[in-house]
PDB file of all heavy atoms in Angstrom:
ATOM      1  N   ASP V   1       6.415  -7.785  27.767  1.00 96.00           N
ATOM      2  CA  ASP V   1       6.035  -7.292  29.097  1.00 96.00           C
ATOM      3  C   ASP V   1       4.573  -6.858  29.157  1.00 96.00           C
ATOM      4  O   ASP V   1       4.255  -5.720  29.540  1.00 96.00           O
ATOM      5  CB  ASP V   1       6.956  -6.133  29.508  1.00 96.00           C
ATOM      6  CG  ASP V   1       6.817  -5.775  30.990  1.00 96.00           C
ATOM      7  OD1 ASP V   1       6.338  -6.630  31.755  1.00 96.00           O
ATOM      8  OD2 ASP V   1       7.186  -4.640  31.356  1.00 96.00           O
ATOM      9  N   VAL V   2       3.669  -7.765  28.810  1.00 97.00           N
ATOM     10  CA  VAL V   2       2.235  -7.468  28.888  1.00 97.00           C
ATOM     11  C   VAL V   2       1.805  -7.472  30.354  1.00 97.00           C
ATOM     12  O   VAL V   2       2.066  -8.418  31.088  1.00 97.00           O
ATOM     13  CB  VAL V   2       1.423  -8.500  28.090  1.00 97.00           C
ATOM     14  CG1 VAL V   2      -0.071  -8.255  28.265  1.00 97.00           C
ATOM     15  CG2 VAL V   2       1.811  -8.456  26.619  1.00 97.00           C
ATOM     16  N   GLN V   3       1.146  -6.383  30.771  1.00 96.00           N
ATOM     17  CA  GLN V   3       0.679  -6.274  32.143  1.00 96.00           C
ATOM     18  C   GLN V   3      -0.760  -5.766  32.159  1.00 96.00           C
ATOM     19  O   GLN V   3      -1.116  -4.878  31.390  1.00 96.00           O
ATOM     20  CB  GLN V   3       1.570  -5.327  32.951  1.00 96.00           C
ATOM     21  CG  GLN V   3       3.003  -5.812  33.086  1.00 96.00           C
ATOM     22  CD  GLN V   3       3.822  -4.946  34.020  1.00 96.00           C
ATOM     23  OE1 GLN V   3       3.280  -4.305  34.921  1.00 96.00           O
ATOM     24  NE2 GLN V   3       5.127  -4.919  33.821  1.00 96.00           N
ATOM     25  N   LYS V   4      -1.576  -6.369  33.053  1.00 94.00           N
ATOM     26  CA  LYS V   4      -2.991  -6.003  33.128  1.00 94.00           C
ATOM     27  C   LYS V   4      -3.378  -5.690  34.554  1.00 94.00           C
ATOM     28  O   LYS V   4      -2.812  -6.236  35.501  1.00 94.00           O
ATOM     29  CB  LYS V   4      -3.873  -7.165  32.647  1.00 94.00           C
ATOM     30  CG  LYS V   4      -3.633  -7.622  31.226  1.00 94.00           C
ATOM     31  CD  LYS V   4      -4.575  -8.783  30.908  1.00 94.00           C
ATOM     32  CE  LYS V   4      -4.359  -9.333  29.518  1.00 94.00           C
ATOM     33  NZ  LYS V   4      -5.269 -10.468  29.241  1.00 94.00           N
ATOM     34  N   ASP V   5      -4.340  -4.789  34.690  1.00 89.00           N
ATOM     35  CA  ASP V   5      -5.027  -4.628  35.964  1.00 89.00           C
ATOM     36  C   ASP V   5      -6.504  -4.393  35.661  1.00 89.00           C
ATOM     37  O   ASP V   5      -6.942  -4.581  34.521  1.00 89.00           O
ATOM     38  CB  ASP V   5      -4.419  -3.502  36.800  1.00 89.00           C
ATOM     39  CG  ASP V   5      -4.462  -2.157  36.085  1.00 89.00           C
ATOM     40  OD1 ASP V   5      -5.426  -1.895  35.346  1.00 89.00           O
ATOM     41  OD2 ASP V   5      -3.521  -1.350  36.280  1.00 89.00           O
ATOM     42  N   GLU V   6      -7.296  -4.007  36.654  1.00 83.00           N
ATOM     43  CA  GLU V   6      -8.734  -3.908  36.459  1.00 83.00           C
ATOM     44  C   GLU V   6      -9.117  -2.836  35.439  1.00 83.00           C
ATOM     45  O   GLU V   6     -10.114  -2.968  34.735  1.00 83.00           O
ATOM     46  CB  GLU V   6      -9.415  -3.602  37.798  1.00 83.00           C
ATOM     47  CG  GLU V   6      -9.322  -4.749  38.802  1.00 83.00           C
ATOM     48  CD  GLU V   6     -10.034  -4.410  40.090  1.00 83.00           C
ATOM     49  OE1 GLU V   6     -10.579  -3.287  40.192  1.00 83.00           O
ATOM     50  OE2 GLU V   6     -10.058  -5.266  40.988  1.00 83.00           O
ATOM     51  N   LYS V   7      -8.321  -1.771  35.342  1.00 89.00           N
ATOM     52  CA  LYS V   7      -8.712  -0.641  34.503  1.00 89.00           C
ATOM     53  C   LYS V   7      -7.820  -0.398  33.295  1.00 89.00           C
ATOM     54  O   LYS V   7      -8.145   0.438  32.457  1.00 89.00           O
ATOM     55  CB  LYS V   7      -8.748   0.635  35.350  1.00 89.00           C
ATOM     56  CG  LYS V   7      -9.783   0.622  36.460  1.00 89.00           C
ATOM     57  CD  LYS V   7      -9.798   1.952  37.191  1.00 89.00           C
ATOM     58  CE  LYS V   7     -10.851   1.960  38.286  1.00 89.00           C
ATOM     59  NZ  LYS V   7     -10.861   3.265  39.010  1.00 89.00           N
ATOM     60  N   SER V   8      -6.693  -1.105  33.201  1.00 95.00           N
ATOM     61  CA  SER V   8      -5.765  -0.794  32.117  1.00 95.00           C
ATOM     62  C   SER V   8      -4.948  -2.006  31.706  1.00 95.00           C
ATOM     63  O   SER V   8      -4.870  -3.003  32.422  1.00 95.00           O
ATOM     64  CB  SER V   8      -4.821   0.339  32.527  1.00 95.00           C
ATOM     65  OG  SER V   8      -3.953  -0.096  33.559  1.00 95.00           O
ATOM     66  N   VAL V   9      -4.326  -1.881  30.521  1.00 97.00           N
ATOM     67  CA  VAL V   9      -3.402  -2.891  30.001  1.00 97.00           C
ATOM     68  C   VAL V   9      -2.210  -2.145  29.402  1.00 97.00           C
ATOM     69  O   VAL V   9      -2.374  -1.123  28.733  1.00 97.00           O
ATOM     70  CB  VAL V   9      -4.058  -3.761  28.903  1.00 97.00           C
ATOM     71  CG1 VAL V   9      -3.041  -4.748  28.331  1.00 97.00           C
ATOM     72  CG2 VAL V   9      -5.265  -4.499  29.442  1.00 97.00           C
ATOM     73  N   SER V  10      -1.016  -2.661  29.654  1.00 97.00           N
ATOM     74  CA  SER V  10       0.172  -2.068  29.042  1.00 97.00           C
ATOM     75  C   SER V  10       1.024  -3.152  28.407  1.00 97.00           C
ATOM     76  O   SER V  10       0.980  -4.316  28.814  1.00 97.00           O
ATOM     77  CB  SER V  10       1.001  -1.287  30.066  1.00 97.00           C
ATOM     78  OG  SER V  10       1.654  -2.165  30.955  1.00 97.00           O
ATOM     79  N   CYS V  11       1.805  -2.767  27.397  1.00 98.00           N
ATOM     80  CA  CYS V  11       2.734  -3.674  26.740  1.00 98.00           C
ATOM     81  C   CYS V  11       3.780  -2.846  26.018  1.00 98.00           C
ATOM     82  O   CYS V  11       3.652  -1.618  25.898  1.00 98.00           O
ATOM     83  CB  CYS V  11       2.008  -4.612  25.761  1.00 98.00           C
ATOM     84  SG  CYS V  11       1.191  -3.751  24.402  1.00 98.00           S
ATOM     85  N   ALA V  12       4.805  -3.512  25.537  1.00 97.00           N
ATOM     86  CA  ALA V  12       5.891  -2.814  24.853  1.00 97.00           C
ATOM     87  C   ALA V  12       6.192  -3.483  23.527  1.00 97.00           C
ATOM     88  O   ALA V  12       5.942  -4.677  23.337  1.00 97.00           O
ATOM     89  CB  ALA V  12       7.146  -2.781  25.723  1.00 97.00           C
ATOM     90  N   VAL V  13       6.747  -2.685  22.615  1.00 97.00           N
ATOM     91  CA  VAL V  13       7.275  -3.179  21.347  1.00 97.00           C
ATOM     92  C   VAL V  13       8.730  -2.737  21.269  1.00 97.00           C
ATOM     93  O   VAL V  13       9.056  -1.588  21.599  1.00 97.00           O
ATOM     94  CB  VAL V  13       6.482  -2.622  20.146  1.00 97.00           C
ATOM     95  CG1 VAL V  13       7.192  -2.924  18.831  1.00 97.00           C
ATOM     96  CG2 VAL V  13       5.080  -3.216  20.131  1.00 97.00           C
ATOM     97  N   LYS V  14       9.576  -3.639  20.853  1.00 96.00           N
ATOM     98  CA  LYS V  14      11.014  -3.354  20.772  1.00 96.00           C
ATOM     99  C   LYS V  14      11.354  -2.701  19.441  1.00 96.00           C
ATOM    100  O   LYS V  14      11.038  -3.216  18.383  1.00 96.00           O
ATOM    101  CB  LYS V  14      11.803  -4.657  20.930  1.00 96.00           C
ATOM    102  CG  LYS V  14      13.314  -4.470  21.027  1.00 96.00           C
ATOM    103  CD  LYS V  14      13.979  -5.815  21.287  1.00 96.00           C
ATOM    104  CE  LYS V  14      15.482  -5.658  21.447  1.00 96.00           C
ATOM    105  NZ  LYS V  14      16.130  -6.973  21.690  1.00 96.00           N
ATOM    106  N   LYS V  15      12.001  -1.547  19.512  1.00 94.00           N
ATOM    107  CA  LYS V  15      12.392  -0.816  18.307  1.00 94.00           C
ATOM    108  C   LYS V  15      13.457  -1.593  17.544  1.00 94.00           C
ATOM    109  O   LYS V  15      14.445  -2.062  18.102  1.00 94.00           O
ATOM    110  CB  LYS V  15      12.944   0.564  18.683  1.00 94.00           C
ATOM    111  CG  LYS V  15      13.683   1.312  17.585  1.00 94.00           C
ATOM    112  CD  LYS V  15      12.755   1.800  16.488  1.00 94.00           C
ATOM    113  CE  LYS V  15      13.543   2.513  15.402  1.00 94.00           C
ATOM    114  NZ  LYS V  15      14.136   3.797  15.823  1.00 94.00           N
ATOM    115  N   ASP V  16      13.258  -1.738  16.243  1.00 91.00           N
ATOM    116  CA  ASP V  16      14.226  -2.381  15.363  1.00 91.00           C
ATOM    117  C   ASP V  16      14.538  -1.405  14.240  1.00 91.00           C
ATOM    118  O   ASP V  16      13.687  -1.113  13.401  1.00 91.00           O
ATOM    119  CB  ASP V  16      13.645  -3.682  14.800  1.00 91.00           C
ATOM    120  CG  ASP V  16      14.636  -4.447  13.930  1.00 91.00           C
ATOM    121  OD1 ASP V  16      15.713  -3.896  13.639  1.00 91.00           O
ATOM    122  OD2 ASP V  16      14.324  -5.581  13.535  1.00 91.00           O
ATOM    123  N   ALA V  17      15.749  -0.888  14.224  1.00 87.00           N
ATOM    124  CA  ALA V  17      16.147   0.091  13.211  1.00 87.00           C
ATOM    125  C   ALA V  17      16.677  -0.558  11.946  1.00 87.00           C
ATOM    126  O   ALA V  17      17.142   0.140  11.045  1.00 87.00           O
ATOM    127  CB  ALA V  17      17.204   1.027  13.781  1.00 87.00           C
ATOM    128  N   GLY V  18      16.586  -1.895  11.854  1.00 84.00           N
ATOM    129  CA  GLY V  18      17.127  -2.565  10.679  1.00 84.00           C
ATOM    130  C   GLY V  18      18.627  -2.373  10.620  1.00 84.00           C
ATOM    131  O   GLY V  18      19.324  -2.456  11.631  1.00 84.00           O
ATOM    132  N   ASP V  19      19.142  -2.083   9.435  1.00 80.00           N
ATOM    133  CA  ASP V  19      20.579  -1.854   9.270  1.00 80.00           C
ATOM    134  C   ASP V  19      20.931  -0.374   9.294  1.00 80.00           C
ATOM    135  O   ASP V  19      22.001   0.025   8.821  1.00 80.00           O
ATOM    136  CB  ASP V  19      21.060  -2.484   7.953  1.00 80.00           C
ATOM    137  CG  ASP V  19      21.160  -4.000   8.052  1.00 80.00           C
ATOM    138  OD1 ASP V  19      21.479  -4.500   9.147  1.00 80.00           O
ATOM    139  OD2 ASP V  19      20.910  -4.684   7.044  1.00 80.00           O
ATOM    140  N   ASP V  20      20.031   0.435   9.832  1.00 79.00           N
ATOM    141  CA  ASP V  20      20.328   1.849   9.981  1.00 79.00           C
ATOM    142  C   ASP V  20      21.002   2.085  11.332  1.00 79.00           C
ATOM    143  O   ASP V  20      20.759   1.354  12.293  1.00 79.00           O
ATOM    144  CB  ASP V  20      19.043   2.672   9.908  1.00 79.00           C
ATOM    145  CG  ASP V  20      19.309   4.147   9.720  1.00 79.00           C
ATOM    146  OD1 ASP V  20      19.993   4.490   8.747  1.00 79.00           O
ATOM    147  OD2 ASP V  20      18.845   4.944  10.531  1.00 79.00           O
ATOM    148  N   SER V  21      21.851   3.095  11.374  1.00 76.00           N
ATOM    149  CA  SER V  21      22.511   3.454  12.627  1.00 76.00           C
ATOM    150  C   SER V  21      21.566   4.340  13.435  1.00 76.00           C
ATOM    151  O   SER V  21      21.284   5.467  13.056  1.00 76.00           O
ATOM    152  CB  SER V  21      23.816   4.195  12.330  1.00 76.00           C
ATOM    153  OG  SER V  21      24.434   4.599  13.522  1.00 76.00           O
ATOM    154  N   ASP V  22      21.081   3.837  14.554  1.00 83.00           N
ATOM    155  CA  ASP V  22      20.048   4.542  15.316  1.00 83.00           C
ATOM    156  C   ASP V  22      20.231   4.219  16.791  1.00 83.00           C
ATOM    157  O   ASP V  22      20.203   3.048  17.184  1.00 83.00           O
ATOM    158  CB  ASP V  22      18.667   4.110  14.832  1.00 83.00           C
ATOM    159  CG  ASP V  22      17.531   4.935  15.406  1.00 83.00           C
ATOM    160  OD1 ASP V  22      17.707   5.483  16.508  1.00 83.00           O
ATOM    161  OD2 ASP V  22      16.484   5.029  14.761  1.00 83.00           O
ATOM    162  N   VAL V  23      20.388   5.247  17.622  1.00 89.00           N
ATOM    163  CA  VAL V  23      20.632   5.002  19.045  1.00 89.00           C
ATOM    164  C   VAL V  23      19.410   4.404  19.735  1.00 89.00           C
ATOM    165  O   VAL V  23      19.538   3.817  20.810  1.00 89.00           O
ATOM    166  CB  VAL V  23      21.053   6.301  19.769  1.00 89.00           C
ATOM    167  CG1 VAL V  23      22.345   6.841  19.211  1.00 89.00           C
ATOM    168  CG2 VAL V  23      19.966   7.347  19.694  1.00 89.00           C
ATOM    169  N   THR V  24      18.232   4.546  19.154  1.00 93.00           N
ATOM    170  CA  THR V  24      17.041   3.974  19.785  1.00 93.00           C
ATOM    171  C   THR V  24      16.816   2.515  19.406  1.00 93.00           C
ATOM    172  O   THR V  24      15.842   1.904  19.855  1.00 93.00           O
ATOM    173  CB  THR V  24      15.776   4.780  19.415  1.00 93.00           C
ATOM    174  OG1 THR V  24      15.565   4.715  17.997  1.00 93.00           O
ATOM    175  CG2 THR V  24      15.916   6.229  19.844  1.00 93.00           C
ATOM    176  N   ASP V  25      17.699   1.953  18.584  1.00 92.00           N
ATOM    177  CA  ASP V  25      17.559   0.542  18.214  1.00 92.00           C
ATOM    178  C   ASP V  25      17.567  -0.323  19.469  1.00 92.00           C
ATOM    179  O   ASP V  25      18.458  -0.221  20.311  1.00 92.00           O
ATOM    180  CB  ASP V  25      18.712   0.141  17.287  1.00 92.00           C
ATOM    181  CG  ASP V  25      18.572  -1.287  16.777  1.00 92.00           C
ATOM    182  OD1 ASP V  25      17.471  -1.649  16.334  1.00 92.00           O
ATOM    183  OD2 ASP V  25      19.567  -2.042  16.825  1.00 92.00           O
ATOM    184  N   GLY V  26      16.576  -1.175  19.604  1.00 94.00           N
ATOM    185  CA  GLY V  26      16.476  -2.063  20.764  1.00 94.00           C
ATOM    186  C   GLY V  26      15.725  -1.476  21.943  1.00 94.00           C
ATOM    187  O   GLY V  26      15.467  -2.186  22.928  1.00 94.00           O
TER     188      GLY V  26
END
C-alpha cells in the first residue's frame, strides 16, 4: 500500500511472527 502526495510518502510492512503465537501476526 505505497501512497504518495506532494509532501509525504506512506507504506506498510506486514508483521510476520514466524512460528510464534502472536496476535499481531499479519
Side-chain angles (χ1 to χ4, degrees):
D1 192 21
V2 175
Q3 297 187 26
K4 300 180 182 179
D5 59 35
E6 293 181 359
K7 296 183 179 180
S8 67
V9 177
S10 72
C11 62
V13 169
K14 187 176 182 180
K15 166 70 181 292
D16 183 352
D19 285 327
D20 194 56
S21 177
D22 189 334
V23 298
T24 62
D25 184 47

